[in-house]
Amino acid sequence: MNTRGGDAENTDSSIPHVPRPLRQTHDLRTLQAVLPMDRHRIRMLLLDAVDEDRRDVDVLLTALQQAVAEVHGLGGMVHLPGGGMSGILYLVADSGLPESMTRPWLIIPVRGTAPPSKAARNDTVAWQPDLAPPDPVPGRDPAAMWPARLTAGIGHLAVPIAGGGSRRGALSVLFAPGATVGAAERAFLSEVAAWMSERLKSSGILNPSPTLLRALENEPEPRDAASPWDDGERAPILTYTWDLRTGALTSDTPVEEVLPGIDPEVMGGGIEAWAELIHPDDLPSAVAGFDTGIQLRGGFQNEYRIRRQDGTYIWIEAGARTITDAEGTPVKVIGTLRDSSETHAAAESVGRALRHMSDGFVSLDSDWRIGFLNQAAERLLGAAGDVAGAVLWDIPAVRAVPGLEQRCRATAAEGRPAGFDVPGSDGASWYHLRLVPVPEGLTLYITDTTERHLREAERVAAERAAAERASLVQQITRELAEAVTAQDVMTAVADVVMAPLGASGLIMLGVVGDRLDVIGSQGYSDHFTRLLDGQWTLRDTTSPVVDALRTRTPLCVSSPEEFLKRYPGTEILIKEGGKQAWAFLPLAVSGRGIGAAVIGFQEPRVLDDDEQTLLTALSGLIAQALERAGLYDDATTRARTLQRSLLPQALPELPEVTTAARYQSAKQGADVGGDWYDVIPLSAARVALVIGDVMGHGMAEAATMGRLRTAVRTLSELELPPDEILGHLNDIVGELGTDAFVTCLYGIYDPVTRCLSYASAGQPPPAVAHPDGTVTFLSMTPDPPLGVAAPPFETRETLLPADSLLALYSDGLVESKDRDVTTGMNRLAELLRESVQAMPDSTADASDLDVLCAALTSALLPAHGALIDDAALLLVRTHSLDAENVAEWTLPEDPVAAGQARTLARAQLSDWDLADEDLIMTTELLVSELVGNVVRHAYGPIRLRMLRSRALICEVSDASLTTPHIRHSSATDEGGRGLQLISALCQRWGTRHTRTGKSIWTEQPLPSASA
């Protein structure tokens, strides 16, 4: 195939690819404020003002850039019909699109489904809502070249560019996803396409030259004559048949109708007559094409010049295929002829466009010698007269770019168009080099991309800054989400925000009434913090904090001078604070101001728009976190108040026991626990010791704990034994539902006998530390927890040595995620042993025991955040009641027993130095009444016991199980007033059932001197 362009005298074969898009030649920023219809008219006037000598590619690109800019497109393309292959559209200009995007669109079929194909074929506007690769052509698969990670939803609109006859091109524009293309945009693009058509017709380049088109296709070798894209939309075609056996040459159409000026009788002269019309320069290649096609039994295509009758030459495009018989012998050639002179005329216009195009263009031979360069390339490489014929690498400007030769040679070795960016020799500019292989060498396009690189650098910097801001917001969001208290919020903001902003100080203020009190600070002295605390109120009209709260936007003060100018009288605050610039962030939630955050800087500083936007976002996050912290603090206060009200406010001070206790919830805030403990004084100087655990956390569990503690105290007043008390508690828990589980240990310590009787429902065994340091655990097989247990419960008894240390605890004290119960109990025993041995006096007071209690919980419990369960500890130092404080007698079952009881009571009180006559008389009366009731209403044996302990206790025991009750007697009744008299004379009284019967007891306060 002949790839030469021009006329008979012009045999230059280096016609190149149309260059990359020219830069915008008109500044359209001033058009933004103009109405759309006025902008359309102005842009068309600008196009009409393009000089007549600026034709071809410059004209196309100028019009394309105006079109893309006006409709706010992403980029655009211009396709024109091909002169080398019928049914093909070639990309001759593009704007705003990267090379990876334009490569699939270099060659597309007219009969394809892409918008440019439809617009050119149907002469109508074509729209595609989602950009897709064009249809393939032989040897090219656009789908394989399609760029990866392309955004979905890019719109593609194409309008036709009218040409000669039915041959049309297309102007197409790409739009951002979601963009709406209205009638105005379509009309404007159609108007630009019509303008392009008129200019192209006037310059004669509507169809690119074959050489140009083959460079675009990157396929220097000829194609087969038969093309599946022949669509009939081309110049008239003559079909001929050459019979190889007879030499006859015939055609379906008179030759003069398709090729004007050619001898109409040439077909009658056979192939020899036709060969005589071929230009001498083109004859060898034409003959070789026929010979090769016949020898290979295939198709072939060629282009050459033939002589008209007037002696001039025209270019024709010839294609043919060889027909063989059954044995494979060539018998005839069937081919087509078409006038292609118009295409070669267009090549001349392209040459002129290359000379004056704004991008640099260099034509190189296979040895990298410069054959041609345009004016733009001369400005970079030197005058054409100085560099023409020189090797590219010998040019000083090229040699100054490190590694350029290696990159160019590597790109050329790949054999396909490719480009890359290189820095300029001045170190400040950038250029994009594009190498396009052509049959006789390469073409080099040089585009100044300095401005694009600057924009890209600015974009990267902006994206980096935006990413950093987004990361900062994400980090502070995470930190604030974990902040629980106001101090946590303060710490999170200080740790995350100050360093990225370059701040040196932070103060957080909270609204309390109408005052602004300091919540916390960092980077400021305590003196300044105290000075600022309450300094501003919401009524102030000259306060930066109040201004920020009023406007709900951050207030930035860039220097002390600006601060004083805007807020006179603040010299002391500026001096004491020591900062030079400030940002006041309002903290508001649901339209209600709750405080402010003040960020201080060590040097004067003006915050830019991005930083102020960041501060606005931060103020909202901080406000929300501070509001949550306030709610948390309120909930914590309520929960702690509830917790304190449910547990004993203070343990009773009793001579029989010395006690201390600790409770630690597994969670902070509103989640309270269900562990509890209690020490309850009983009759006969006995003491009830209780510890329990309601499984779970929350208000419901705390309420259950409160109900059970109240029930325990009530049942204790009934003087029930431990097993019966647990039985009643089990019934109560069972009524709460199947989800309620409670463990409990109830014990009664008798200081007279030093006996501890106890029953357990799921509680771990208490530890007993003996005075000699020995530590044991009470033996027991605990029953299941209350709620699932089946009474009766087992009551056990143990004799405690005098001054023993008893430790009652919940499982949360000895069990953790890193330690099982057995290990925890062993650790508790070890700590008790060490503590008892370190105590100098076994009769340590309550304060010493409280210190020991704190030490044990500190040693056994992990850090508060690691607790998995509530923990309760009750330490009890037991004391025995000395024999000298106990007196007991057996009385006869006779009325004289009352008198004996009075005598014995008076004598015992005298022995105890309780000689107060009122006390003696009252005691005599009480024992007389008690013994008399037994003689009259019960049966023996009768025993009288007196105890001197926390009170004067008198007990009368008998074998009857009948419980006496106070009755309301009338004025005429002779009896029924004994218990009323007892109730009036003593501090309290009651009945206690024993294994052998019952005991009725009374308590009287001891005189202060004897207490």
Side-chain angles (χ1 to χ4, degrees):
M1 176 179 179
N2 185 3
T3 60
R4 293 175 294 173
D7 54 18
E9 287 71 36
N10 183 4
T11 60
D12 182 15
S13 62
S14 60
I15 303 299
H17 186 320
V18 175
R20 306 296 296 168
L22 297 176
R23 291 193 196 167
Q24 183 78 33
T25 57
H26 298 286
D27 187 359
L28 299 180
R29 291 176 294 179
T30 57
L31 299 179
Q32 299 303 317
V34 182
L35 293 175
M37 294 306 299
D38 291 336
R39 287 202 311 270
H40 295 178
R41 182 175 56 82
I42 293 174
R43 289 189 187 276
M44 295 309 301
L45 291 175
L46 290 175
L47 291 179
D48 291 336
V50 176
D51 295 336
E52 289 296 325
D53 61 344
R54 290 194 63 204
R55 293 174 301 187
D56 310 332
V57 176
D58 273 352
V59 171
L60 290 175
L61 289 178
T62 300
L64 179 61
Q65 290 168 352
Q66 291 283 0
V68 172
E70 178 58 28
V71 299
H72 305 293
L74 300 176
M77 299 178 287
V78 174
H79 285 83
L80 294 180
M85 286 185 65
S86 59
I88 294 295
L89 293 176
Y90 294 83
L91 176 66
V92 296
D94 63 273
S95 175
L97 301 176
E99 179 184 341
S100 60
M101 176 67 76
T102 59
R103 188 180 298 117
W105 295 94
L106 289 177
I107 307 173
I108 63 175
V110 173
R111 290 294 183 184
T113 58
S117 302
K118 291 182 178 179
R121 182 175 68 252
N122 301 326
D123 194 23
T124 185
V125 178
W127 165 255
Q128 187 179 44
D130 196 355
L131 182 66
D135 299 87
V137 297
R140 290 181 63 86
D141 184 8
M145 309 176 191
W146 199 246
R149 297 176 296 182
L150 187 64
T151 302
I154 296 178
H156 192 179
L157 180 72
V159 297
I161 300 176
S166 60
R167 298 174 63 82
R168 287 180 292 271
L171 162 65
S172 59
V173 177
L174 305 185
F175 292 87
T180 302
V181 183
E185 288 80 3
R186 295 172 183 245
F188 176 76
L189 292 179
S190 298
E191 188 175 2
V192 173
W195 182 89
M196 286 183 176
S197 177
E198 290 300 320
R199 288 299 298 264
L200 292 176
K201 287 180 181 178
S202 65
S203 62
I205 65 159
L206 185 59
N207 297 321
S209 70
T211 303
L212 175 61
L213 298 177
R214 289 164 192 160
L216 287 169
E217 296 171 307
N218 193 26
E219 293 182 6
E221 296 299 324
R223 297 181 180 270
D224 292 341
S227 173
W229 286 274
D230 289 346
D231 59 356
E233 297 180 5
R234 54 181 181 174
I237 295 177
L238 178 148
T239 301
Y240 67 90
T241 301
W242 176 22
D243 191 327
L244 298 178
R245 290 170 296 187
T246 64
L249 190 63
T250 59
S251 64
D252 63 343
T253 304
V255 66
E256 64 272 15
E257 294 183 8
V258 178
L259 304 174
I262 300 300
D263 183 1
E265 304 298 332
V266 67
M267 289 294 180
I271 193 67
E272 292 80 6
W274 183 262
E276 289 180 358
L277 299 181
I278 300 177
H279 193 285
D281 292 341
D282 301 337
L283 183 61
S285 61
V287 173
F290 275 101
D291 291 343
T292 302
I294 294 172
Q295 292 174 8
L296 296 179
R297 274 70 167 172
F300 53 94
Q301 183 172 337
N302 211 331
E303 190 174 23
Y304 49 85
R305 290 163 290 179
I306 61 173
R307 186 179 66 252
R308 290 184 290 193
Q309 289 179 306
D310 60 1
T312 60
Y313 285 86
I314 62 171
W315 282 93
I316 66 169
E317 180 183 309
R321 66 178 182 275
T322 303
I323 306 299
T324 61
D325 58 14
E327 289 77 19
T329 302
V331 294
K332 59 183 175 180
V333 174
I334 299 177
T336 59
L337 300 174
R338 183 176 68 85
D339 187 349
S340 61
S341 299
E342 184 180 355
T343 303
H344 283 270
E348 296 181 3
S349 297
V350 173
R352 290 193 299 271
L354 289 175
R355 181 64 183 170
H356 299 285
M357 64 187 289
S358 59
D359 289 349
F361 174 81
V362 181
S363 175
L364 303 168
D365 62 16
S366 58
D367 296 325
W368 298 93
R369 294 184 179 277
I370 298 176
F372 169 81
L373 71 166
N374 66 357
Q375 295 176 354
E378 287 185 34
R379 290 192 292 269
L380 297 173
L381 305 180
D386 298 332
V387 300
V391 177
L392 181 64
W393 323 121
D394 295 337
I395 305 300
V398 176
R399 195 166 54 246
V401 181
L404 179 58
E405 179 179 356
Q406 291 78 6
R407 295 189 67 177
C408 288
R409 290 186 181 277
T411 300
E414 296 178 0
R416 62 174 182 269
F420 51 86
D421 290 349
V422 297
S425 58
D426 58 2
S429 56
W430 280 86
Y431 297 93
H432 178 77
L433 305 186
R434 177 172 172 80
L435 289 170
V436 180
V438 294
E440 291 82 9
L442 298 102
T443 57
L444 173 64
Y445 300 88
I446 308 173
T447 304
D448 188 342
T449 59
T450 303
E451 185 176 350
R452 189 187 71 190
H453 274 80
L454 291 176
R455 291 196 302 269
E456 179 67 16
E458 293 173 355
R459 183 189 63 80
V460 171
E463 290 180 351
R464 184 185 302 110
E468 291 175 353
R469 291 193 299 271
S471 175
L472 178 62
V473 171
Q474 292 177 355
Q475 184 179 0
I476 189 63
T477 300
R478 289 193 300 269
E479 295 294 333
L480 291 177
E482 297 176 0
V484 177
T485 66
Q487 288 301 320
D488 292 341
V489 175
M490 169 69 199
T491 302
V493 176
D495 292 345
V496 178
V497 175
M498 289 180 60
L501 290 179
S504 60
L506 173 66
I507 292 181
M508 196 167 293
L509 304 171
V511 175
V512 180
D514 65 344
R515 287 163 41 94
L516 287 165
D517 292 344
V518 175
I519 296 175
S521 68
Q522 184 167 323
Y524 289 94
S525 64
D526 293 339
H527 172 71
F528 177 75
T529 302
R530 290 191 298 270
L531 177 65
L532 190 61
D533 193 21
Q535 174 75 20
W536 290 316
T537 68
L538 297 179
R539 297 189 303 272
D540 291 339
T541 58
T542 58
S543 166
V545 173
V546 176
D547 286 351
L549 283 171
R550 184 177 62 254
T551 60
R552 296 292 191 268
T553 57
L555 174 63
C556 300
V557 181
S558 60
S559 66
E561 293 76 15
E562 181 183 352
F563 202 122
L564 285 174
K565 181 179 179 180
R566 299 177 66 171
Y567 305 101
T570 56
E571 294 86 351
I572 296 178
L573 291 178
I574 296 174
K575 179 180 178 182
E576 295 293 338
K579 306 304 178 186
Q580 300 294 306
W582 302 264
F584 298 88
L585 277 60
L587 305 181
V589 177
S590 301
R592 176 175 53 88
I594 63 171
V598 183
I599 300 175
F601 301 90
Q602 204 64 36
E603 300 295 335
R605 177 175 179 179
V606 177
L607 298 175
D608 58 30
D609 292 341
D610 291 338
E611 290 173 324
Q612 293 190 35
T613 301
L614 174 62
L615 292 179
T616 301
L618 291 178
S619 65
L621 294 174
I622 297 171
Q624 294 289 341
L626 194 62
E627 175 75 358
R628 291 194 303 270
L631 296 175
Y632 171 84
D633 290 339
D634 293 342
T636 300
T637 301
R638 291 193 297 270
R640 290 175 179 172
T641 301
L642 174 63
Q643 191 77 54
R644 286 194 298 269
S645 66
L646 294 176
L647 291 173
Q649 300 300 306
L651 295 176
E653 296 182 6
L654 304 173
E656 298 83 10
V657 291
T658 304
T659 58
R662 281 289 186 278
Y663 169 81
Q664 180 63 66
S665 174
K667 296 184 179 180
Q668 295 181 351
D671 280 337
V672 293
D675 289 19
W676 89 94
Y677 54 86
D678 214 342
V679 177
I680 307 171
L682 300 178
S683 64
R686 298 172 307 140
V687 180
L689 307 173
V690 188
I691 191 163
D693 180 6
V694 179
M695 297 182 185
H697 299 88
M699 293 296 184
E701 285 74 13
T704 301
M705 179 264 283
R707 294 175 62 183
L708 294 177
R709 179 169 176 259
T710 301
V712 169
R713 296 188 72 89
T714 302
L715 293 171
S716 297
E717 292 292 332
L718 299 177
E719 301 284 356
L720 298 177
D723 58 333
E724 293 188 24
I725 286 184
L726 290 187
H728 287 294
L729 292 179
N730 186 67
D731 294 338
I732 294 174
V733 174
E735 295 174 357
L736 299 177
T738 58
D739 295 335
F741 298 98
V742 180
T743 61
C744 182
L745 184 142
Y746 186 93
I748 299 176
Y749 172 66
D750 189 343
V752 177
T753 63
R754 303 199 313 276
C755 179
L756 175 68
S757 59
Y758 58 93
S760 175
Q763 276 293 125
V768 180
H770 299 257
D772 61 359
T774 304
V775 178
T776 61
F777 290 93
L778 296 182
S779 63
M780 63 180 184
T781 303
D783 290 302
L786 301 176
V788 295
F793 293 89
E794 180 184 9
T795 297
R796 290 179 175 247
E797 293 185 352
T798 185
L799 186 65
L800 298 177
D803 297 320
S804 297
L805 181 61
L806 188 65
L808 287 74
Y809 54 92
S810 64
D811 58 355
L813 182 72
V814 294
E815 184 181 18
S816 68
K817 61 182 180 181
D818 301 322
R819 182 180 62 201
D820 58 25
V821 174
T822 302
T823 304
M825 291 172 60
N826 293 336
R827 177 59 177 161
L828 173 62
E830 179 183 352
L831 293 172
L832 284 173
R833 185 180 307 109
E834 296 173 354
S835 301
V836 170
Q837 292 174 349
M839 284 185 176
D841 186 0
S842 61
T843 60
D845 59 18
S847 61
D848 294 333
L849 207 59
D850 192 70
V851 172
L852 174 59
C853 194
L856 290 175
T857 54
S858 176
L860 289 169
L861 295 179
H864 185 67
L867 286 178
I868 61 174
D869 194 8
D870 302 333
L873 173 63
L874 175 62
L875 292 183
V876 181
R877 173 77 71 182
T878 62
H879 308 296
S880 61
L881 191 60
D882 296 336
E884 63 182 19
N885 292 319
V886 180
E888 187 174 5
W889 305 274
T890 301
L891 300 177
E893 296 182 51
D894 189 272
V896 299
Q900 292 180 11
R902 289 193 295 271
T903 301
L904 293 172
R906 175 178 287 272
Q908 187 61 50
L909 291 177
S910 298
D911 291 343
W912 284 342
D913 294 329
L914 299 176
D916 182 78
E917 190 61 28
D918 290 340
L919 178 62
I920 293 174
M921 291 179 64
T922 302
T923 304
E924 286 179 337
L925 184 56
L926 289 173
V927 298
S928 177
E929 280 294 326
L930 292 176
V931 172
N933 281 338
V934 172
V935 172
R936 182 177 181 181
H937 301 291
Y939 53 89
I942 304 173
R943 297 187 61 82
L944 170 64
R945 187 170 71 158
M946 296 180 65
L947 306 177
R948 183 177 63 170
S949 181
R950 59 179 178 268
L952 177 60
I953 302 171
C954 298
E955 287 185 348
V956 175
S957 302
D958 60 58
S960 172
L961 297 178
T962 303
T963 302
H965 298 283
I966 297 179
R967 294 184 303 162
H968 294 281
S969 58
S970 64
T972 59
D973 290 340
E974 295 182 359
R977 296 180 178 83
L979 291 180
Q980 293 181 9
L981 180 62
I982 291 173
S983 178
L985 292 176
C986 66
Q987 188 176 39
R988 65 177 187 144
W989 72 280
T991 302
R992 180 177 73 255
H993 289 276
T994 65
R995 293 188 180 92
T996 59
K998 69 175 182 297
S999 294
I1000 303 175
W1001 53 269
T1002 65
E1003 286 187 6
Q1004 302 172 77
L1006 293 171
S1008 57
S1010 303

